[in-house]
Structures are given as C-alpha cells and as structure tokens.
Amino acid sequence: MGAMKVGIITIGNELLNGFTLDRNAAWIGQQLLSAGIKVHVHHTISDDFSDIYDTLEYQWKEWECDHIIVTGGLGPTVDDITVSAFIDYFEDSEEFDREYWEKLKDRFQKLNFKMPNLNRNQAFRLKKGNMIPNKVGSARGLHYIKNHSSFFKDIKSKFKGSLSEVNFFALPGVPKEMKSMFTNYVLPEIEKTNKNKVICRSIRTTGVPESILQEKISDLIEDFKKDCDIAFLPHRMLGVDIRITSINNEKIEDLIKLILDRIKKYIYGFDNDKLEEVIANSFIKNSVTISTAESCTAGLLGAKLTDFPGSSKYYKGGSICYSNELKILDVNVDKKLIDKHGAVSEEVAGALARGIAEKNGTDMGIGITGIAGPDGGTEKKPVGLVFVGIFYKNNLYIKRYNLTPNRNTNRELTVILCLNEIRKILKSS
C-alpha cells in the first residue's frame, strides 16, 4: 500500500491577488504533518464554479488523491459557489433541514439576536452527502465519498492510490470555523484510513547559514535519500531547521544521531522547541537568575525572557536605559567611561552587564548598547553596530555585531544573537 495522498484546494480571488495570505492551507498542512500525514498537492483557485468543479476532478483523477480538503467560497446559503459546485459535481440535491433550522433559531434567541431571513438558507441538508457540524458558526461543511472504481474499473494498469474511496471535504474559509471543523471532524476521518504514518522530526539550529549546514552533512543526505526526505527550512533571522520525514522511525533516529555528531554546537532544540524556552528551562534547571540593561533593544530581550509561565524564577527585572543619564543613574555606569569610549562601546556594554547584575543581585547580567538606525551612525560607528555584554560567574563576555541598516531588524536580531550566546555560556559552564 502506498503513502496516503492528500490534496488541498483553497478558494478565493483575494488569495490569488495577494491581498490575503493563505494561512489556512499552511495550518492544515502543519496539522496533517503532526498527525503523520503529508500533503500531496495544493491548488489555489478563483471563486468560480468551473474552476472548483475542474480542480475537484483534477485532484481526483490526475493526482489520485485519497482525501481532498477544500476551504473558502462556502458562505451562508445553498446558492454559494462552493456548495453549488459540490452538489453539481456529485449529482446531488438539497432539501430543507427543519431540525437544523430549529437549532439555528434557538441559538440566535439565546444570543438575543434577531435572525436574518438569509439564515434560513443555511438550514439545508444533502441527499447523498453528509453535513459537517459547525460548533463555532452557523454554516455547515460538506462531506462526500467517491469510489475510485467509478473511474478506474476499466483501467488495466494498477492504480497508484492507496484507498478505494476518496473523501471530499468542503470547509469555510473563516479560520476559526475551518479549524474547528477540521479538528473535530475532518482529521479524525482521515486518520481512520492512515496505514503508513509519516514521521516528521526537526533539528533546530541557529548561528549558522544554510549553506554551511548543507556542506557539513551533504554525504549523509546522499546516504539516506532513499529512506528519508531532508529539507532545510530557514526562519527569519532565527536560524535553520533541518526537517526529516520518513515512514521508517529507525532510519530517522540513525540520521539524527549522525547529524548531531557533525553540528552539535549549532543545535538548540528539536521539533517545536523555542530558543527562549530552551534557555528558560536551562535557567530553572541550573538555578540561575538574570537581569537585563537594554539600550537599543528597549526591553525586547526582557520580553522574550518572560514569555513563559514561571519566568519569575529566573528573571528578576531590568532597566531600559536608553539615555546616557539612565545608564549612569540606574545602572551605575561611570560617566567617565561613556565620555571616553562613547555609549556604544564594548566598555559600556560590559559595565551595563556587570552593573545590572550587581544592582539586582542576579547570577547573570546582560548589557546591550548599539546604533539601531536609521540615523545616528558615523564612519567609525555605523548604523547596525551593536555590543552585547554578558556578566556571569565573575566573567565578562563581550560580543560585537555589525548588523543591517534596518532598525527593526537590528533590534530583533540582537535579541536572537544575545539569546544564543546565553545558551552557549550556560551549556559550557
């Protein structure tokens, strides 16, 4: 039996025009992959009867999908294009659903709303297909089952698909309603037929470009290509995920061990691990406390360090010392140091780190100072110059970064770079 084939069809002119990002398909793909199922094909089409009809046929016949999930174009009435296309495609018809009509009326009464006459058109049911319950809205989804034999019975060549029956699901484009229907109805239906579960693991790295990672493990990629799909997924500023998918868990574990031997120092976690959460757990495990003195990042580091419940166990507080006056008055940086070296210097970053740790009585202190931009740079100290000081166990670590001309990028990237340095220091101590 071959791997299950799932197709996604997202409907909407706004998706094609770029006015709306197709987050629904991305979310569905992620949910399926978490359940060990890979998306086989994805089409984005216009809100047009013929396009919907033809794409249903195309994914069924040409792509040989076992499950086809449609989102969008499913509005409040039976006359909406997706509904009418499905009914026509499956040669079905609809009838008034009095039971559901009474439920709709009751729901509106409980909310103290007058129900529009238009909602009466939502109270229909299919004669051949099934209605998908909507727990967070009023328009229900559609579910049809089509037998492969109706098309393949006269074909002598072996059918490549894995199932004799194909599920067709129509869901609304409203994310809240779509997610509810998918989670409560569609995914359980698909999982019933999943015989060859795909295993997906991610190795999360930071501080190294994709090209270097590929170079370091290129021979492993070649050795395992028959059993494992390996993809490099760069994330904005943070780093690169190495995603491995296979139906053979043993092969995945063997490959992960080999990759760890090559690039261990760049790896901060696996699968859904977050860099800041890994660091938070390390603080708690090692009973390390921290405080921060931030200039150009203006509290962004402190915000990251407190993203998780229980952060008060390690994070004691900080100073957003944007001005020189506050660096002096709040963090006890010597004015002469600023006058001599400038506020953006390794000396001041170090003084901020030591000063905030001593002031707050924490094991670790962080000092950040830099020129975020777009103005304020000079020939000697250009926009994007940032110094990070880390004071820990009476040692002072200073990092200098020459970043970008973009203000927001510089601030966000500084925080990520700083977090990674903290991770490395905690790991080596």
Side-chain angles (χ1 to χ4, degrees):
M1 181 178 288
M4 181 185 296
K5 296 179 179 181
V6 177
I8 296 176
I9 302 172
T10 48
I11 300 170
N13 296 327
E14 71 283 357
L15 299 176
L16 291 171
N17 295 333
F19 290 114
T20 302
L21 295 178
D22 192 355
R23 292 189 174 93
N24 280 358
W27 185 86
I28 291 171
Q30 291 164 6
Q31 301 305 304
L32 287 170
L33 195 56
S34 296
I37 304 161
K38 290 177 69 176
V39 174
H40 185 56
V41 61
H42 171 209
H43 292 103
T44 300
I45 61 176
S46 63
D47 199 1
D48 177 82
F49 183 96
S50 297
D51 288 348
I52 297 170
Y53 190 104
D54 292 344
T55 309
L56 290 173
E57 186 80 348
Y58 188 57
Q59 287 203 359
W60 176 57
K61 284 187 177 179
E62 300 299 326
W63 287 92
E64 301 171 350
C65 292
D66 302 304
H67 304 280
I68 297 172
I69 304 166
V70 180
T71 71
L74 188 66
T77 74
V78 73
D79 296 325
D80 283 299
I81 296 175
T82 300
V83 175
S84 56
F86 262 68
I87 289 175
D88 193 74
Y89 182 73
F90 290 98
E91 298 179 347
D92 199 2
S93 60
E94 77 286 344
E95 59 188 9
F96 182 65
D97 189 343
R98 182 167 297 279
E99 182 181 354
Y100 189 62
W101 170 243
E102 294 300 327
K103 288 181 180 180
L104 281 180
K105 287 198 298 183
D106 185 59
R107 186 185 301 180
F108 273 81
Q109 285 174 0
K110 287 180 179 179
L111 294 171
N112 202 25
F113 287 138
K114 181 180 178 182
M115 188 164 67
N117 291 329
L118 183 65
N119 284 90
R120 184 179 176 86
N121 293 320
Q122 291 179 324
F124 72 93
R125 62 179 172 227
L126 305 168
K127 291 185 177 180
K128 294 181 180 178
N130 298 316
M131 306 302 296
I132 301 176
N134 188 342
K135 296 185 177 183
V136 294
S138 55
R140 294 179 292 180
L142 313 178
H143 176 203
Y144 283 95
I145 298 173
K146 193 168 187 175
N147 199 304
H148 271 312
S149 62
S150 62
F151 173 62
F152 293 102
K153 62 183 179 181
D154 296 325
I155 298 179
K156 295 181 180 179
S157 61
K158 185 179 179 182
F159 171 52
K160 297 177 182 178
S162 58
L163 302 177
S164 60
E165 293 181 333
V166 179
N167 284 295
F168 291 75
F169 305 98
L171 308 177
V174 179
K176 185 178 180 180
E177 297 183 31
M178 179 278 294
K179 291 178 180 181
S180 175
M181 290 188 192
F182 181 86
T183 303
N184 293 297
Y185 186 97
V186 176
L187 185 57
E189 287 293 322
I190 293 176
E191 286 185 315
K192 289 177 185 176
T193 64
N194 188 16
K195 304 301 181 184
N196 291 325
K197 187 173 183 178
V198 174
I199 301 160
C200 180
R201 296 291 310 277
S202 292
I203 301 173
R204 312 211 72 180
T205 74
T206 190
V208 59
E210 178 185 349
S211 56
I212 292 178
L213 284 178
Q214 288 204 36
E215 185 178 334
K216 288 182 177 293
I217 65 170
S218 59
D219 59 319
L220 298 179
I221 296 172
E222 183 66 25
D223 292 343
F224 281 80
K225 68 180 182 181
K226 290 183 179 179
D227 300 295
C228 301
D229 290 332
I230 304 170
F232 293 84
L233 308 175
H235 292 272
R236 180 175 174 266
M237 292 186 284
L238 176 58
V240 180
D241 286 354
I242 303 173
R243 190 180 68 195
I244 307 168
T245 54
S246 176
I247 60 173
N248 189 327
N249 187 57
E250 187 177 339
K251 288 289 184 181
I252 288 181
E253 293 301 324
D254 289 343
L255 179 55
I256 287 176
K257 288 177 184 178
L258 292 171
I259 291 176
L260 281 173
D261 290 339
R262 302 277 183 92
I263 60 168
K264 192 172 184 178
K265 66 179 180 179
Y266 302 118
I267 297 171
Y268 68 84
F270 299 89
D271 303 325
N272 296 317
D273 288 342
K274 293 182 178 180
L275 178 58
E276 56 268 33
E277 189 171 16
V278 169
I279 293 167
N281 291 334
S282 185
F283 279 135
I284 293 171
K285 180 182 177 181
N286 296 291
S287 299
V288 174
T289 56
I290 182 174
S291 54
T292 55
E294 300 181 65
S295 182
C296 64
T297 50
L300 290 177
L301 176 61
K304 277 290 185 185
L305 290 170
T306 55
D307 266 351
F308 308 99
S311 56
S312 59
K313 293 178 182 178
Y314 55 87
Y315 186 74
K316 300 306 177 185
S319 171
I320 301 175
C321 44
Y322 216 66
S323 67
N324 288 346
E325 289 81 6
L326 211 60
K327 290 179 177 69
I328 297 165
L329 295 173
D330 198 36
V331 196
N332 299 319
V333 176
D334 191 336
K335 182 178 183 299
K336 293 178 182 178
L337 202 65
I338 296 176
D339 292 340
K340 181 177 180 180
H341 300 284
V344 179
S345 61
E346 61 179 89
E347 290 81 6
V348 170
L352 287 169
R354 185 187 295 271
I356 200 67
E358 292 176 350
K359 177 186 176 182
N360 294 324
T362 56
D363 302 307
M364 180 180 288
I366 308 294
I368 298 175
T369 181
I371 305 168
D375 304 316
T378 65
E379 186 175 343
K380 289 186 177 180
K381 295 183 178 181
V383 168
L385 176 65
V386 177
F387 292 95
V388 173
I390 303 176
F391 180 73
Y392 182 56
K393 290 185 176 180
N394 211 34
N395 292 314
L396 189 60
Y397 307 85
I398 303 292
K399 298 295 294 185
R400 172 181 177 143
Y401 302 110
N402 292 291
L403 303 178
T404 77
N406 184 277
R407 179 181 183 82
N408 290 333
T409 298
N410 290 337
R411 286 153 56 96
E412 293 176 32
L413 192 53
T414 296
V415 170
I416 291 169
L417 292 167
C418 181
L419 287 171
N420 194 42
E421 287 304 316
I422 293 171
R423 177 188 69 85
K424 291 192 288 185
I425 290 170
L426 291 173
K427 191 174 182 179
S428 62
S429 62

